[in-house]
Amino acid sequence: KRRKMSSTVLKLVIKPYTTKELAPLFNMSSRTFRRNIAGIKEQLGVRKGHFYNIKQVEMIIEHMGRPYEVIEK
């Protein structure tokens, strides 16, 4: 029998996030995540402490795509 694979879209609350909170949502390490957003660093601007603000998080999602997870059922 073949198993059906379905992808489930995670509900993502748009709020201030740190790099360590965002990286797992995109299934990558913090270091890889930082490298992936390096191209939009100038557009993102300066973080507030360790947090990306809501506008910055929206820009990151626009750049990286919507995070999702594939779950086998």
Side-chain angles (χ1 to χ4, degrees), residues 10-26 30 33-34 37 44-61 67:
L10 299 173
K11 290 184 180 179
L12 178 66
V13 177
I14 303 296
K15 64 176 190 160
Y17 284 99
T18 64
T19 302
K20 287 186 178 185
E21 292 170 335
L22 282 170
L25 295 175
F26 292 96
S30 295
F33 178 78
R34 286 194 310 269
I37 63 169
L44 284 176
V46 181
R47 289 185 289 176
K48 182 84 170 181
H50 293 283
F51 288 87
Y52 290 105
N53 66 33
I54 293 170
K55 284 280 188 200
Q56 291 169 323
V57 171
E58 288 173 344
M59 288 173 66
I60 291 168
I61 292 169

Side-chain angles (χ1 to χ4, degrees), residues 2-8 68-73:
R2 288 179 75 170
R3 288 179 134 176
K4 281 188 177 181
M5 283 185 60
S6 64
S7 62
T8 302
Y68 68 95
E69 187 175 335
V70 176
I71 300 171
E72 281 190 45
K73 289 188 177 182

